[in-house]
Amino acid sequence: MVQRHRHYYGEDPSQWGELFLPEVPDGGTHRGVVVVIHGGYWRSKYGAELGEPLAGDLAAHGVAAWNLEYRRAGNGGGWPQTFQDILAGIDKLQELAGPHALDLARVVALGHSAGGHLAVWAAGRDRLPHLGLEAEHREVNVKDGGVRLTGVVSQSGVLDLAEAEKLNLSDDAVANFLGGPSSEFPGRYRYADPMAALPLDVPVFAVHATEDEDVPLAMSTSYVEAGKSGPVPARLVTVPGDHYALIEPGSQAYRKCRGLVQELLR
């Protein structure tokens, strides 16, 4: 029996997450947590309902999952609010660990599309103060001592923001998200781009669907190529199907993602 518990990490209606918890023996602890971060090109019309089937499936397979909602462009999100929410939502696990018997030694993020961008970006939080972007760092207000991700599974993630802007993905989604073009906000673009935080010292699986027409494969391949000389090189994994096969629990593409999550939690 999977238990579900909703918790808020802020006062906005979109600042919440829902824990999906498998049964554990009395006195037992959940071994690790998966933070599920939904996509939708950062737009408000897409919400945490996209991550709900994944969180439920993970819990059914014995993994505690935190399905994270956040402010998006169109409902109070964008720059810098979405970034603040992702970190605050992940850090909320510190408060929940005791009441829900969570072991935070392993915290893995599973992010789809724009959620893959946010997951990989959050994995680089320790690198952000060293980008030389003090104004942007103050705006996002990254706190010390937060929950550090120990791995990421990116599902067709938008991992190269500069290239995504050039390609005008999803009708200028990046500029819509960051408040304007890179020519106007170069610091925001660099701070928000997972490429800027390379190399990471945590494992990233850049999973991409071979028939994805929403997010080009280059979003994953360019990220993996850029980080190949780092201490923990990201790995490219291709799976069959389209963009949405990755978030269909019955699909081969999703099952591969679940297996990688389980691998990172071992």
Side-chain angles (χ1 to χ4, degrees), residues 2-208:
V2 172
Q3 295 184 4
R4 298 171 60 164
H5 306 271
R6 181 178 289 213
H7 297 278
Y8 282 82
Y9 60 86
E11 296 181 358
D12 190 272
S14 291
Q15 292 176 309
W16 59 270
E18 188 172 17
L19 272 176
F20 288 67
L21 301 176
E23 288 188 15
V24 293
D26 288 344
T29 300
H30 298 282
R31 293 184 60 188
V33 184
V34 181
V35 181
V36 177
I37 306 178
H38 72 82
Y41 272 114
W42 311 283
R43 292 187 172 103
S44 59
K45 64 180 179 179
Y46 303 101
E49 67 277 358
L50 292 172
E52 188 173 329
L54 283 63
D57 176 81
L58 289 163
H61 285 83
V63 176
W66 175 231
N67 187 33
L68 186 60
E69 187 57 287
Y70 52 92
R71 290 174 290 177
R72 286 90 67 209
N75 73 334
W79 177 271
Q81 293 87 351
T82 297
F83 298 92
Q84 294 168 346
D85 284 4
I86 293 300
L87 296 183
I90 294 171
D91 290 348
K92 179 72 174 181
L93 291 170
Q94 291 176 316
E95 182 183 324
L96 302 179
H100 294 293
L102 305 175
D103 177 3
L104 301 186
R106 290 277 186 276
V107 180
V108 171
L110 174 65
H112 178 242
S113 194
H117 158 261
L118 294 168
V120 176
W121 175 84
R125 69 186 297 169
D126 292 348
R127 304 269 300 163
L128 298 173
H130 309 296
L131 296 180
L133 299 167
E134 285 76 14
E136 287 77 12
H137 195 58
R138 284 195 300 272
E139 285 185 81
V140 173
N141 190 28
V142 180
K143 295 180 173 61
D144 293 331
V147 173
R148 194 167 184 272
L149 295 177
T150 57
V152 178
V153 176
S154 166
Q155 302 171 294
S156 283
V158 187
L159 303 185
D160 184 345
L161 286 193
E163 186 64 16
E165 183 193 24
K166 286 180 187 174
L167 294 173
N168 193 31
L169 293 186
S170 188
D171 192 23
D172 224 10
V174 181
N176 181 61
F177 176 46
L178 294 180
S182 58
S183 57
E184 188 175 349
F185 300 109
R188 284 184 192 178
Y189 272 71
R190 179 165 163 75
Y191 194 89
D193 197 338
M195 299 278 276
L198 286 169
L200 296 186
D201 59 358
V202 299
V204 173
F205 289 107
V207 183
H208 218 99

